[in-house]
Amino acid sequence: MANAIRALAMDAVQAANSGHPGAPMGMADIAVALWSRHLSHNPANPHWHNRDRFVLSNGHGSMLQYALLHLTGYDLPIGELKNFRKLHSKTPGHPEVDVTPGIETTTGPLGQGLANAVGMALAEKLLAAEFNRPGHDIVDHHTYVFMGDGCLMEGISHEACALAGAWRLNKLVAIYDDNGISIDGQVAPWFIDDVAARFIAYGWNVVDKVDGHDIEVVDAAIEEALKSADRPTLIVCKTVIGKGSPNRAGTSKAHGEALGADEIALTRKALGWDHAPFEVPADIYAAWDARDAGAKAEAEWTEEFNAYEAAHPELAKAFHRRMLGELPANFAEIAAEAVGAAHDKAETVASRKASQIALEAFTAALPEMLGGSADLTGSNLTNTKSTPSLRFGEQGQVMTTEGKIGRHINYGVREFGMAAIMNGIALHGGYIPYGGTFLTFSDYSRNAIRMAALMKRRVVHVFTHDSIGLGEDGPTHQSVEHAASLRLIPGLDVWRPADTTETAVAWTMALVQKHRPSALLLSRQNLPYLPKADADVITQGAYVLAEPSEVGINKKAQVVLMATGSEVHLALQAQEQLAKLKIAARVVSVPSTSVFDRQSESYKVQVLPRGVPRVAIEAGVTDFWWKYGAAAVVGLDRFGESAPAPDLFKFFDITADNIVAVARKVVGK
Amino acid sequence: MANAIRALAMDAVQAANSGHPGAPMGMADIAVALWSRHLSHNPANPHWHNRDRFVLSNGHGSMLQYALLHLTGYDLPIGELKNFRKLHSKTPGHPEVDVTPGIETTTGPLGQGLANAVGMALAEKLLAAEFNRPGHDIVDHHTYVFMGDGCLMEGISHEACALAGAWRLNKLVAIYDDNGISIDGQVAPWFIDDVAARFIAYGWNVVDKVDGHDIEVVDAAIEEALKSADRPTLIVCKTVIGKGSPNRAGTSKAHGEALGADEIALTRKALGWDHAPFEVPADIYAAWDARDAGAKAEAEWTEEFNAYEAAHPELAKAFHRRMLGELPANFAEIAAEAVGAAHDKAETVASRKASQIALEAFTAALPEMLGGSADLTGSNLTNTKSTPSLRFGEQGQVMTTEGKIGRHINYGVREFGMAAIMNGIALHGGYIPYGGTFLTFSDYSRNAIRMAALMKRRVVHVFTHDSIGLGEDGPTHQSVEHAASLRLIPGLDVWRPADTTETAVAWTMALVQKHRPSALLLSRQNLPYLPKADADVITQGAYVLAEPSEVGINKKAQVVLMATGSEVHLALQAQEQLAKLKIAARVVSVPSTSVFDRQSESYKVQVLPRGVPRVAIEAGVTDFWWKYGAAAVVGLDRFGESAPAPDLFKFFDITADNIVAVARKVVGK
């Protein structure tokens, strides 16, 4: 059975003349132990709620997973394996969720799959605590992750695994392909970690020194892992990379290139595998086939679920809704109420506070909202009355506070880990994760934000302290390039709201977007409420906030001031001053450029009429705004300074006076 | 002496009504032990080459360092402490190198100071191996770093400390302020690491369970650390955050806000400190004063150095040159030769290979160039014949290969750690660090790149596999937004060269820029050589590569095609096709937008004449290019796909044909 994987992997890589045979060949025996003896899954239904989750964190070994999916009976015919790494095949270079049936997450960027798995295991544990009832364990599965040296060198492995230990995620089983080889060669000169000791230090259960080529031994190690009641388990498997290849096994040459026809022939011989490329004998197929067992497992679960449904119909309904990622039926009303309340109260608060106000409404109505912060809860204001802190007991159980399960996660100072764990939570289903840090530290988590966008998952990033407006903490903490740079990530909606209403709308839109992550950029400092006729139009991403009212014939604007977030009220002040100078300025608030980009051409022209010069205002780098036809941009193309915020806006000339000066220049008046 | 720190910290934070008193008050006793008994430094000369380096990785505790610098006699008068966190003071919110005398690195983004310290300790060890001679230990100092829980939760601490262990950096002493508190409160629910065990797993020497408020005990722990011959040392100091404050000590309230007038009064009483705010009695000043000892230490070293200079004049000269960051006197010739050779050979190679060709020349001539790769050496091509792999022996000694000290670092799969360690190497002086990874994984190291830009340090990032052109590895590995997003970082020069000459020039410029980091974005795939008259003009960042030669009256361009890197040759093909259609197109190659931005207006207009429409071509997101007045951009505003590169360029319509179609539309022909 293992040799079928080896053969498919080397043949597919050879056909593509690209890819990584070493990991599939080295982990083939481990895969036999896990996939044929433990993994509970149904090839006919890759979306079965209670399936075990399997993550290949060393995603370059994608052919391992494709071989397994093919052999066990997923809808992945041999033709797809022959098209490995070809355009529009179901077998891309790295595993991609929603492209290939049975792939749970997109991996490749090392360490992140492991963190995703931590998120999945957390979601499972929380859902079980929330939904299971005596006699009805409808949520009860494991999360398995394969990983290599690279994953364990990456810093994110530290963040995610420390949390898995603190959270006592006993149903997480991580299997380490300890082959001592990375791309640069034998790892000894740059990787001397005692991995077992390191994971024990995190509070993990460790099964060390497992022969990764002895299926019985691996099987026993997994058995031991499944007994852990209060700790996640690491299984350290000693393996030989490229196992089976006479000349490449155990070397970095096996890692990332095709073996070549000659070596493949030698490998076939050495393995005693005398079948043609992409040919697997029927008995091997039969041994791998997991369709019957999978159908049976799901059928049993369905029966259990039906009993649960009979006993707890409301819970069952809620479970289904949440696993499908659907919002409550009354979501529109909840949102309208939140937006309306903000509009009515018209408060002057920081937009981070506005976010908390919106969150109070949404978290009260949406039990699936699972918040958190990277050790900045009191600054990010991600917590609400409905979201007690998540805590675990000594036995690994989820604790309750006044009968409520925790729904706000203290992620610690682990931005990247938080973001990738949130991706895992979203991938598992059942929760809408959101988490906070300072905007500048979106740098730390940036690739996980990108991955959420690539995977099209609803993850909401709450980035507060979004500009020089944070003041004294200085340039290390002041974002200048981050709003612009996040906007460059395809598929991510970035919101920089200007007041409480815009913030409530931003939250609404972030929740509605089932297939899109969002980032909310929020101020530390107070922002005045901006009177507006209609809050609905905010959903367009940009809208006319204020027409020139006191000057000009027909109120026709001579200049459009486009601004975002904390600078919109400056644009309004400038508008007034310009009015006194008989210059008619329209103020356009642009809370989300990507959302605006998706509007109709006619709406766009309505907001930004052709031929009227535009001035953009944002307390950040100016490069981005030329896209919107700005004739001038008021911003700052340098790092900030440490000082009280009002001094900084003055020093950097991000003031109504300067907007007026720039607008006059643009208008030529 | 410790109470002087506590008083200054709480008074300064109170005066600013902003800042972090908890860490300075909690670490004050540790600071006494280190700064008054061990740290070798000269307040009168913060640039003394052989000073001990001190890094406050928990940079929010900046008042600790400002108090120490003030008390020991640096040019930081009490008035500056009174102006804590005010505009243009020498006491910004977080420590900033080059702003305050005695600050070695800018800290605040947690974990990075620790990684910088690893870089400094590495630089010291390598310089010592390179320059010391029997009887002449002219490089011989320690690197000390203070750090808190936050630094140790961050993933980068894993990457940097694993490397410090593998490199056996015995002169690195890390002191952990183990106060059990982070911003969100008592850390137990989210931080259960056995830190001592974790660091032992990295191969560190650990002095555990040190009473951080007993100066003698801390002193003894440091003594023990200084004895370590083959391992870095972690000293775990149990402390009380905000020590001295009756009501806030030991709580997260002490962490990040002013104590308030009442609590300060109570603290003064509890400490028995009855001096007015910002007043330190003369005897305490005297006890702290490090000026005489510092002057003596430097004088002794100077004497030693003079003896060394007499014995090894060439080495002494080279040491001075390198510590000042000056290039060899013949650098211009070396560069001209490298560029000239590329021009003459006119090779068709990948730009990553072009980079290696340039590096062969530069590393042969510049012994200060210290390369590396995050486990992608064979892909990044950062190694050369002059740069053997860096290796350490069991006793911690630097090994040699054929008599040569290693100059290429296998950083392992640790992009962020690599980048921050490179910052530390650059800050220490003596080396010009460069390191490679795939462009997409610049996401992982992004904040350290930003920090290099903020600190104005010469660090060169070699980012290969820079677009969909990498092909089969697919969207997880294909950069689409990265070129644009790196260009947004103020002070960073981004180069995307199109052929061997442009690459050689990019390297030249990166080396010349003493106060600026650079990023080189390089192709995986081969790029044809672009015939050009003059290579010098490449230094302008953008230049006219090819004028329309065969059409039109006076060869006046009707359209300008601006392209970068792997797309420039497509623009040239399009130019030819357009010529056949009687459309005169100029091709402008834009290897570096930031460098072009620094040119004169007249040069800019010369390259991009007013009134001639422009089409930008880059295999990435289009947003950035509107800045240069593009009428249209040929690019891709979505993630890539897994397939061979030629298929992808076709699929995404990044082809000469499409450039022609777009140009025709723009010209209206």
Side-chain angles (χ1 to χ4, degrees):
Chain A
M1 289 171 76
N3 287 344
I5 295 173
R6 293 194 174 100
L8 289 173
M10 70 183 181
D11 290 340
V13 171
Q14 184 67 20
N17 195 22
S18 161
H20 302 74
M25 297 176 77
M27 293 194 84
D29 302 302
I30 300 169
V32 172
L34 177 64
W35 278 65
S36 75
R37 303 190 185 185
H38 296 284
L39 197 74
S40 173
H41 63 127
N42 183 7
N45 180 13
H47 301 292
W48 171 33
H49 294 327
N50 201 43
R51 69 193 182 277
D52 285 343
R53 274 30 173 205
F54 173 82
V55 173
L56 187 77
S57 191
N58 46 348
H60 51 271
S62 54
M63 263 313 301
L64 172 64
Q65 203 167 358
Y66 299 144
L68 288 165
L69 294 171
H70 169 71
L71 292 166
T72 55
Y74 284 78
D75 181 17
L76 193 69
I78 195 77
E80 291 291 347
L81 275 66
K82 289 179 184 168
N83 277 328
F84 182 49
R85 295 185 155 228
K86 297 287 193 307
L87 194 59
H88 303 320
S89 75
K90 284 187 178 174
T91 51
H94 291 79
E96 295 184 33
V97 68
D98 297 337
V99 168
T100 317
I103 298 292
E104 302 282 0
T105 176
T106 301
T107 53
L110 293 175
Q112 287 191 64
L114 173 57
N116 297 161
V118 171
M120 293 175 189
L122 176 67
E124 191 268 352
K125 186 161 223 169
L126 295 181
L127 278 175
E130 203 178 335
F131 284 97
N132 288 354
R133 288 293 178 272
H136 299 285
D137 288 343
I138 57 144
V139 182
D140 182 15
H141 71 78
H142 284 81
T143 300
Y144 296 96
V145 55
F146 281 7
M147 61 198 187
D149 300 283
C151 291
L152 291 179
M153 287 188 238
E154 289 286 3
I156 192 172
S157 70
H158 169 61
E159 300 182 8
C161 295
L163 281 172
W167 295 339
R168 299 176 170 276
L169 299 179
N170 59 301
K171 288 163 93 177
L172 174 66
V173 182
I175 304 184
Y176 166 33
D177 180 30
D178 183 12
N179 60 30
I181 294 288
S182 63
I183 294 177
D184 277 2
Q186 296 271 0
V187 298
W190 56 87
F191 184 47
I192 62 162
D193 297 9
D194 179 341
V195 173
R198 176 187 161 206
F199 275 71
I200 291 169
Y202 295 151
W204 283 51
N205 174 41
V206 176
V207 187
D208 199 10
K209 300 194 176 97
V210 171
D211 178 351
H213 297 299
D214 186 329
I215 293 170
E216 299 305 325
V217 172
V218 176
D219 180 24
I222 297 171
E223 280 294 347
E224 204 178 320
L226 299 182
K227 286 181 205 148
S228 179
D230 58 353
R231 286 175 295 162
T233 298
L234 172 73
I235 301 175
V236 181
C237 288
K238 280 277 167 202
T239 62
V240 176
I241 191 171
K243 171 91 174 173
S245 162
N247 296 303
R248 298 223 170 157
T251 75
S252 59
K253 280 289 274 181
H255 175 88
E257 55 185 282
L259 297 182
D262 295 349
E263 184 66 14
I264 284 178
L266 292 174
T267 306
R268 282 198 139 69
K269 208 165 183 181
L271 295 174
W273 185 268
D274 52 9
H275 314 289
F278 298 106
E279 256 186 47
V280 177
D283 60 327
I284 304 278
Y285 268 125
W288 270 113
D289 194 337
R291 283 175 293 187
D292 287 352
K296 188 160 163 276
E298 182 170 350
E300 282 170 11
W301 179 84
T302 304
E303 202 172 311
E304 281 180 44
F305 191 84
N306 291 342
Y308 173 79
E309 194 163 28
H312 308 281
E314 287 305 313
L315 276 177
K317 206 175 138 193
F319 178 76
H320 254 306
R321 175 183 74 74
R322 284 174 49 179
M323 287 304 288
L324 296 177
E326 286 169 6
L327 295 173
N330 63 342
F331 179 79
E333 293 156 44
I334 297 159
E337 206 170 301
V339 173
H343 200 41
D344 292 345
K345 286 192 191 155
E347 285 177 287
T348 290
V349 292
S351 52
R352 62 182 170 139
K353 181 68 192 169
S355 165
Q356 193 181 41
I357 292 167
L359 276 172
E360 285 291 358
F362 288 117
T363 56
L366 275 70
E368 60 264 48
M369 289 185 71
L370 182 59
S373 165
D375 202 47
L376 289 167
T377 301
S379 297
N380 301 145
L381 302 178
T382 40
N383 58 340
T384 69
K385 290 188 196 79
S386 310
T387 60
S389 298
L390 179 63
R391 293 288 180 265
F392 297 89
E394 293 283 313
Q395 277 77 45
Q397 76 278 30
V398 179
M399 306 292 280
T400 55
T401 306
E402 296 172 9
K404 284 184 192 162
I405 291 170
R407 283 174 52 203
H408 189 270
I409 302 174
N410 300 102
Y411 284 100
V413 189
R414 303 178 179 101
E415 298 82 5
F416 194 12
M418 174 174 74
I421 287 171
M422 290 201 292
N423 290 349
I425 293 169
L427 287 158
H428 183 281
Y431 293 101
I432 300 174
Y434 65 94
T437 185
F438 290 159
L439 176 56
T440 298
F441 302 122
S442 65
D443 279 354
Y444 279 48
S445 51
R446 186 170 172 92
N447 200 266
I449 302 167
R450 178 181 211 258
M451 291 302 293
L454 178 58
M455 296 192 282
K456 300 191 166 69
R457 286 308 187 270
R458 179 170 45 192
V459 173
V460 187
H461 290 273
V462 178
F463 292 129
T464 70
H465 297 59
D466 72 344
S467 75
I468 54 166
L470 65 83
E472 293 88 344
D473 272 346
T476 54
H477 285 54
Q478 288 163 359
S479 299
V480 294
E481 75 277 29
H482 298 83
S485 100
L486 286 171
R487 291 182 188 125
L488 299 176
I489 297 178
L492 173 71
D493 274 349
V494 176
W495 288 87
R496 190 166 185 258
D499 66 5
T500 52
T501 322
E502 286 195 5
T503 306
V505 171
W507 262 112
T508 304
M509 297 288 283
L511 292 169
V512 163
Q513 295 285 354
K514 189 172 163 183
H515 297 295
R516 203 182 271 280
S518 299
L520 276 54
L521 282 36
L522 305 168
S523 74
R524 176 190 184 221
Q525 73 276 25
N526 280 350
L527 303 180
Y529 189 77
L530 309 175
K532 59 187 84 61
D534 172 17
D536 277 352
V537 74
I538 300 169
T539 59
Q540 310 295 306
Y543 64 98
V544 180
L545 173 67
E547 291 285 16
S549 56
E550 298 173 21
V551 287
I553 301 152
N554 299 330
K555 294 178 185 172
K556 196 170 169 304
Q558 297 159 273
V559 60
V560 175
L561 307 176
M562 311 181 279
T564 80
S566 52
E567 285 68 69
V568 180
H569 76 275
L570 298 177
L572 284 178
Q573 288 171 23
Q575 183 191 40
E576 257 183 64
Q577 293 184 32
L578 288 165
K580 288 179 192 151
L581 299 166
K582 304 287 173 209
I583 298 173
R586 164 187 283 191
V587 175
V588 170
S589 181
V590 191
S592 177
T593 59
S594 57
V595 172
F596 181 57
D597 290 347
R598 295 199 292 273
Q599 304 310 318
S600 66
E601 271 312 301
S602 66
Y603 179 75
K604 288 182 195 171
V605 172
Q606 198 180 310
V607 174
L608 301 176
R610 291 204 182 99
V612 183
R614 301 160 198 170
V615 175
I617 306 113
E618 186 170 66
V621 296
T622 57
D623 286 354
F624 179 79
W625 287 99
W626 308 107
K627 174 181 177 184
Y628 295 97
V633 185
V634 175
L636 76 159
D637 285 309
R638 48 157 292 180
F639 291 111
E641 295 277 350
S642 169
D647 298 352
L648 291 174
F649 278 96
K650 215 166 165 184
F651 177 68
F652 289 117
D653 246 353
I654 300 173
T655 58
D657 286 349
N658 190 38
I659 299 168
V660 169
V662 170
R664 290 180 69 176
K665 219 171 182 177
V666 162
V667 176
K669 245 177 119 169
Chain B
M1 288 172 76
N3 287 344
I5 295 173
R6 294 193 173 99
L8 288 173
M10 68 183 184
D11 290 341
V13 172
Q14 184 68 19
N17 195 23
S18 162
H20 302 75
M25 297 176 77
M27 294 195 83
D29 302 304
I30 299 168
V32 172
L34 176 64
W35 278 65
S36 76
R37 302 189 185 185
H38 296 283
L39 196 75
S40 174
H41 62 129
N42 182 9
N45 180 13
H47 302 291
W48 171 32
H49 295 328
N50 202 42
R51 69 194 182 277
D52 284 344
R53 278 18 176 212
F54 174 81
V55 173
L56 187 77
S57 190
N58 48 348
H60 51 269
S62 54
M63 264 312 301
L64 172 64
Q65 203 167 358
Y66 299 145
L68 287 165
L69 294 170
H70 169 72
L71 291 166
T72 54
Y74 283 78
D75 182 18
L76 192 69
I78 195 76
E80 291 290 345
L81 275 66
K82 290 179 184 168
N83 277 329
F84 182 50
R85 296 184 156 230
K86 296 288 194 309
L87 194 59
H88 302 321
S89 76
K90 285 187 178 174
T91 50
H94 291 79
E96 294 184 33
V97 67
D98 298 337
V99 167
T100 316
I103 298 292
E104 301 282 0
T105 176
T106 301
T107 53
L110 293 176
Q112 286 192 65
L114 173 57
N116 297 160
V118 171
M120 293 174 189
L122 177 68
E124 192 269 351
K125 186 162 223 167
L126 294 181
L127 278 175
E130 203 178 334
F131 284 97
N132 288 354
R133 288 297 178 272
H136 298 286
D137 287 345
I138 59 145
V139 182
D140 182 14
H141 70 78
H142 284 81
T143 300
Y144 296 96
V145 55
F146 281 7
M147 61 198 188
D149 300 283
C151 291
L152 290 179
M153 287 188 238
E154 290 286 3
I156 192 172
S157 69
H158 170 58
E159 300 183 7
C161 294
L163 282 173
W167 295 339
R168 301 176 169 276
L169 300 178
N170 59 301
K171 289 163 92 176
L172 173 66
V173 182
I175 304 183
Y176 167 32
D177 180 31
D178 182 12
N179 60 32
I181 294 288
S182 63
I183 293 176
D184 277 2
Q186 296 270 0
V187 297
W190 56 88
F191 184 47
I192 62 161
D193 298 7
D194 179 340
V195 173
R198 176 185 161 209
F199 275 71
I200 290 168
Y202 295 150
W204 283 51
N205 174 41
V206 175
V207 188
D208 198 9
K209 301 196 174 95
V210 170
D211 178 351
H213 298 300
D214 186 327
I215 293 170
E216 299 304 325
V217 172
V218 177
D219 180 22
I222 297 171
E223 281 293 345
E224 204 177 321
L226 298 182
K227 285 183 206 146
S228 178
D230 58 353
R231 286 176 296 162
T233 298
L234 171 73
I235 301 175
V236 181
C237 288
K238 280 277 167 202
T239 62
V240 176
I241 192 172
K243 171 90 175 175
S245 162
N247 296 305
R248 298 222 170 158
T251 76
S252 60
K253 281 289 276 181
H255 175 87
E257 56 184 282
L259 297 182
D262 293 352
E263 185 65 14
I264 285 179
L266 292 173
T267 307
R268 282 197 139 70
K269 212 166 179 177
L271 296 174
W273 185 270
D274 52 9
H275 314 289
F278 297 106
E279 256 187 47
V280 177
D283 60 327
I284 303 279
Y285 268 124
W288 271 113
D289 194 337
R291 284 174 294 188
D292 287 353
K296 190 160 162 276
E298 182 170 350
E300 282 170 11
W301 179 83
T302 304
E303 202 170 312
E304 281 177 44
F305 191 84
N306 291 342
Y308 173 78
E309 193 164 30
H312 307 282
E314 286 306 312
L315 277 177
K317 208 177 139 190
F319 179 75
H320 252 307
R321 175 182 73 75
R322 285 173 49 177
M323 288 303 289
L324 296 176
E326 286 168 5
L327 295 173
N330 63 340
F331 179 78
E333 293 155 44
I334 297 159
E337 206 169 302
V339 173
H343 199 41
D344 293 345
K345 287 192 191 156
E347 285 177 286
T348 288
V349 292
S351 51
R352 60 180 171 143
K353 181 67 191 171
S355 166
Q356 193 180 42
I357 293 168
L359 276 172
E360 285 290 359
F362 288 119
T363 56
L366 276 71
E368 60 264 48
M369 289 185 71
L370 183 59
S373 166
D375 202 46
L376 290 167
T377 301
S379 297
N380 301 144
L381 302 179
T382 39
N383 58 338
T384 69
K385 291 189 196 79
S386 310
T387 61
S389 298
L390 180 63
R391 293 290 180 263
F392 297 90
E394 293 283 313
Q395 278 76 46
Q397 76 278 28
V398 179
M399 307 292 280
T400 54
T401 306
E402 296 172 8
K404 282 183 192 165
I405 291 170
R407 281 172 56 201
H408 188 270
I409 302 174
N410 299 102
Y411 283 100
V413 191
R414 303 178 179 102
E415 299 82 5
F416 193 12
M418 173 175 74
I421 287 171
M422 289 202 292
N423 290 349
I425 293 169
L427 287 158
H428 182 282
Y431 292 101
I432 300 175
Y434 66 95
T437 187
F438 291 158
L439 176 56
T440 298
F441 302 122
S442 66
D443 280 354
Y444 279 49
S445 51
R446 187 171 169 91
N447 200 264
I449 302 167
R450 178 182 212 256
M451 291 302 292
L454 177 58
M455 294 193 283
K456 299 190 167 70
R457 286 307 187 271
R458 179 169 46 192
V459 174
V460 187
H461 290 273
V462 178
F463 292 129
T464 69
H465 296 59
D466 72 344
S467 75
I468 54 166
L470 66 83
E472 294 88 345
D473 272 346
T476 55
H477 285 55
Q478 288 163 358
S479 298
V480 293
E481 75 277 29
H482 298 84
S485 100
L486 286 170
R487 292 182 186 125
L488 298 175
I489 298 178
L492 174 71
D493 274 349
V494 176
W495 288 87
R496 190 167 187 259
D499 67 4
T500 53
T501 322
E502 286 194 7
T503 307
V505 171
W507 262 113
T508 305
M509 297 289 282
L511 292 169
V512 163
Q513 294 285 353
K514 188 171 163 184
H515 298 295
R516 201 182 273 278
S518 298
L520 276 54
L521 317 189
L522 305 168
S523 75
R524 175 188 185 224
Q525 73 276 27
N526 279 350
L527 303 181
Y529 189 78
L530 310 174
K532 58 188 88 61
D534 173 19
D536 278 353
V537 73
I538 300 169
T539 59
Q540 311 295 306
Y543 65 98
V544 180
L545 174 67
E547 290 285 16
S549 56
E550 298 174 21
V551 288
I553 301 152
N554 297 329
K555 295 176 185 174
K556 199 173 169 298
Q558 295 157 275
V559 60
V560 175
L561 307 177
M562 310 181 280
T564 79
S566 52
E567 285 68 70
V568 179
H569 76 276
L570 298 178
L572 284 178
Q573 288 171 22
Q575 183 191 41
E576 259 183 62
Q577 294 185 30
L578 287 165
K580 288 176 193 154
L581 299 166
K582 304 289 171 210
I583 298 173
R586 163 186 286 189
V587 175
V588 170
S589 180
V590 192
S592 176
T593 58
S594 58
V595 172
F596 181 59
D597 290 347
R598 294 200 291 274
Q599 305 310 320
S600 66
E601 270 313 300
S602 65
Y603 179 76
K604 289 182 196 171
V605 173
Q606 200 181 310
V607 174
L608 302 176
R610 291 203 183 99
V612 183
R614 301 163 198 167
V615 175
I617 306 113
E618 187 171 63
V621 296
T622 58
D623 286 355
F624 179 79
W625 287 100
W626 308 108
K627 175 181 177 186
Y628 295 98
V633 185
V634 175
L636 77 161
D637 286 310
R638 49 157 291 180
F639 291 111
E641 294 278 350
S642 169
D647 298 354
L648 291 174
F649 278 97
K650 217 166 165 184
F651 177 68
F652 289 118
D653 246 352
I654 301 173
T655 59
D657 286 349
N658 190 38
I659 298 168
V660 169
V662 170
R664 290 179 70 174
K665 214 171 186 179
V666 161
V667 176
K669 244 178 123 170

